[in-house]
């Protein structure tokens, strides 16, 4: 019997997790996507089809969104075209991908900041570098979250991309969303990532946060693994002492496993430490069962314009799927050995008469934990336990090893305590 993560292939659709969508209570929620930003992309779509209603204008973006989506999943050319130069593609990116990037980046960053206790910024300023920024959603989403949770902080964001048009639309979007970003200064640089750090980047270094979102596999596509790894290693030179390099990639098997394969030797050599997703400072080897690739799946609240666009596209968007590593030159403090802390690498899946999840522990080992279904008779307990998602950190307070190697039986629902979950 196996219980594992779903195979990393979102294009085929992920089974729905049992976990409910969390409420978005404040701008400091990782899930908060500003309505004013959503309006920017809707207005761009409408400007292209002024005689249509807004909804129809959004529908007209569907073919361009489909083309981009296929480019990123099934097509994956050896050299990506400069789609940022095409207005329709940018509008499609803004409506379809920007909200996803925004929330994904914040989810990954929140784990570093909250679960690993890494404070970012100094003297009231956090400097962020977004490489392959496109419309800026990753660096901006990260900076927006950091300043939203600390009213004394200002963010300075430098966005680099080869597409001047994308960066121009990014700056226009920032200017159109003033209320949320009074404490954000933005600069942009048009440059090729493969050509080494641009002078403007070197001039602004060091950075507290360097974000590379869905850009590594485009700027350094396979088989250029040595170049990709050397580039990642070089980015550590741009980091402030406690700075974080956050690399987010699609959840596709080829991108998710490649990211971990690229990062693992950098960490094993001691040049960098992993702050997340692994809890022990390293990047674990793949599952024994090679059908399963470590990746993230999170329920989220989709913006209305994305729901509308997806009426035509019919993609599986109830969950955000991605993979990531967060690296730093300085390690995070180790988690105490007790209580045993693990991070879910699968959903809390239903098996016959029980529920089970796989996890990677703070001791670096993989394990499977199950819970008898009959212990979940109480509705409130059941809701609490089944709201635990892949990627959450839990403390295992009472579990007994089963005969099958690596399997543990939880004594009951109270044997499991959520230690960190994004909010
Ligand atoms: C899939 S988009 C990601 C945009 C944004 N980071 C996000 O996550 O939404 C990839 C971006 O990388 C940029 N890019 C690809 N190769 C590049 C290169 N060699 N130099 C600079 N930018 C590059 C593209 O122009 C595009 O904006």
């Amino acid at each position: 019997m196996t219980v594992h993560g779903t195979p990393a292939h979102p294009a085929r659709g992920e089974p729905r997790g049992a976990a409910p969508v969390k409420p978005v209570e404040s701008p400091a929620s990782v899930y908060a996507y500003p309505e004013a930003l959503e309006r920017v992309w809707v207005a761009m779509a409408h400007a292209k089809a002024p005689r249509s209603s807004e909804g129809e204008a959004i529908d007209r973006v569907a073919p361009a969104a489909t083309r981009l989506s296929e480019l990123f999943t099934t097509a994956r050319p050896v050299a990506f075209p400069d789609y940022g130069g095409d207005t329709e593609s940018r509008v499609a990116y803004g409506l379809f991908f920007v909200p996803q990037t925004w929330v994904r980046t914040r989810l990954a960053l929140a784990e570093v900041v909250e679960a690993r206790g890494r404070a970012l910024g100094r003297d009231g300023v956090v400097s962020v570098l977004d490489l392959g920024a496109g419309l800026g959603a990753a660096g901006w989403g990260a900076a927006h979250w950091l300043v939203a949770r600390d009213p004394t902080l200002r963010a300075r964001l430098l966005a680099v991309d080869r597409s001047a048009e994308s960066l121009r639309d990014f700056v226009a979007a920032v200017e159109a969303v003033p209320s949320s970003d009074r404490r954000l200064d933005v600069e942009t640089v048009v440059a090729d990532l493969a050509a080494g750090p641009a002078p403007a980047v070197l001039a602004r270094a060091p950075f507290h946060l360097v974000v590379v979102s869905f850009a590594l596999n485009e700027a350094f596509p396979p088989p250029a693994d040595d170049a990709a790894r050397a580039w990642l290693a070089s980015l550590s030179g741009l980091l402030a002492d406690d700075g974080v390099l956050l690399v987010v990639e699609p959840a596709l098997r080829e991108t998710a496993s490649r990211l971990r394969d690229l990062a693992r030797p950098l960490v094993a050599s001691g040049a960098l430490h992993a702050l997340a997703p692994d809890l022990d400072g390293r990047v674990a080897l793949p599952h024994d069962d090679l059908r399963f690739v470590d990746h993230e799946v999170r329920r989220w609240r989709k913006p209305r314009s994305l729901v509308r666009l997806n009426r035509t596209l019919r993609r599986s968007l109830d969950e955000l799927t991605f993979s990531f590593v967060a690296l730093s030159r300085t390690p995070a403090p180790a988690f105490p050995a007790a209580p045993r802390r693990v991070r879910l690498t699968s959903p809390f899946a239903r098996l016959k008469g029980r529920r089970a999840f796989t996890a990677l522990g703070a001791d670096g080992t993989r394990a499977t934990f199950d819970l008898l279904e009959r212990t979940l008779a109480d509705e409130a307990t059941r809701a609490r336990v089944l709201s635990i998602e892949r990627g959450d950190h839990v403390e295992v307070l009472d579990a007994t090893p089963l005969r099958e190697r690596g399997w543990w039986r939880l004594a009951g629902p109270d044997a499991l305590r959520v230690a960190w979950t994004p909010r």
Side-chain angles (χ1 to χ4, degrees):
M1 185 181 346
T2 55
V3 52
H4 271 301
T6 40
H9 208 304
R12 252 187 266 138
E14 289 271 350
R16 303 222 170 133
V21 179
K22 291 180 187 165
V24 177
E25 275 144 17
S26 82
S29 161
V30 291
Y31 298 100
Y33 179 63
E35 219 176 298
L37 178 53
E38 181 183 1
R39 300 251 9 117
V40 168
W41 315 121
V42 173
M44 268 176 87
H46 206 196
K48 287 190 67 63
R51 298 213 180 139
S52 311
S53 69
E54 272 187 2
E56 286 160 358
I58 291 171
D59 296 341
R60 294 169 77 120
V61 174
T66 303
R67 277 196 300 278
L68 277 182
S69 178
E70 284 168 1
L71 180 70
F72 298 147
T73 52
T74 43
R76 304 205 60 72
V78 176
F80 277 76
D82 181 9
Y83 48 85
D86 169 52
T87 314
E88 265 186 42
S89 296
R90 290 199 304 284
V91 177
Y93 202 97
L95 283 171
F96 192 73
F97 294 101
V98 161
Q100 300 184 57
T101 296
W102 182 275
V103 177
R104 272 190 307 246
T105 313
R106 292 155 72 103
L107 282 163
L109 183 62
E111 187 159 356
V112 171
V113 171
E114 295 174 346
R116 300 316 306 258
R118 182 59 58 101
L120 293 177
R122 200 183 167 147
D123 300 332
V125 177
V126 61
S127 57
V128 180
L129 174 65
D130 185 347
L131 297 171
L135 295 172
W140 188 6
H144 185 275
W145 181 73
L146 289 167
V147 300
R149 64 196 301 279
D150 178 354
T152 66
L153 198 62
R154 285 192 71 80
R156 204 179 289 145
L157 169 59
L158 181 60
V160 182
D161 203 283
R162 66 179 174 191
S163 164
E165 294 89 344
S166 297
L167 294 175
R168 190 199 57 213
D169 283 356
F170 163 48
V171 171
V174 172
E175 283 164 4
V177 187
S179 56
S180 58
D181 287 285
R182 285 191 201 109
R183 288 179 285 123
L184 173 67
D185 301 315
V186 170
E187 273 185 81
T188 61
V189 178
V190 179
D192 179 0
L193 299 181
V201 171
L202 291 173
R204 296 282 176 284
F207 297 91
H208 302 114
L209 177 64
V210 176
V211 187
V212 185
S213 166
F214 282 47
L216 177 69
N217 68 86
E218 279 192 33
F220 298 93
D225 290 356
D226 289 345
R229 191 176 288 115
W231 184 69
L232 287 178
S234 75
L235 298 182
S236 76
L238 298 175
L239 292 176
D241 285 347
D242 274 355
V244 174
L245 167 61
L246 182 61
V247 190
V248 188
E249 283 282 88
L252 297 165
R253 165 177 302 280
E254 51 271 46
T255 49
S257 54
R258 179 176 188 245
L259 173 60
R260 292 179 64 84
D261 290 346
L262 291 174
R264 194 174 299 110
L266 297 177
V267 171
S269 72
L272 288 163
H273 304 269
L275 303 181
D278 302 38
L279 306 184
D280 66 341
R282 286 183 287 214
V283 179
L285 290 168
H287 289 263
D288 291 340
D289 184 338
L290 293 177
R291 283 179 302 156
F292 300 100
V293 174
D294 288 306
H295 68 289
E296 310 300 312
V297 179
R298 290 269 183 200
R299 301 272 290 168
W300 71 311
R301 190 175 296 276
K302 298 182 285 288
R304 273 201 302 265
S305 53
L306 180 54
V307 173
R308 171 78 194 215
L309 181 56
N310 206 38
R311 278 187 4 188
T312 317
L313 294 178
R314 298 179 167 278
R315 301 285 153 139
S316 159
L317 289 178
D318 287 343
E319 285 134 357
L320 290 172
T321 58
F322 59 105
S323 57
F324 80 101
V325 292
L327 306 170
S328 175
R329 289 206 309 268
T330 50
F335 289 109
R340 180 175 179 185
R341 188 176 179 117
V342 304
R343 184 182 195 274
L344 271 73
T345 53
S346 81
F348 215 147
R350 184 198 287 272
L351 302 177
K352 207 170 168 226
R354 50 188 172 156
R355 299 268 171 170
F357 63 83
T358 59
L360 196 49
D363 61 359
T365 62
R366 291 190 189 272
T368 304
F369 297 89
D370 74 15
L371 186 61
L372 294 176
E373 191 78 43
R374 63 177 154 74
T375 65
L376 295 174
D378 172 65
E379 256 325 298
T381 306
R382 185 180 182 78
R384 174 176 63 79
V385 169
L386 297 185
S387 72
I388 297 173
E389 272 192 294
R390 184 198 305 238
D392 286 353
H393 294 200
V394 294
E395 287 171 351
V396 177
L397 305 176
D398 190 355
T400 322
L402 297 180
R403 220 175 309 142
E404 202 172 335
R405 199 168 66 86
W407 276 75
W408 297 74
R409 164 87 23 101
L410 294 158
D414 292 339
L416 212 51
R417 192 162 61 200
V418 175
W420 176 79
T421 185
R423 307 213 171 269

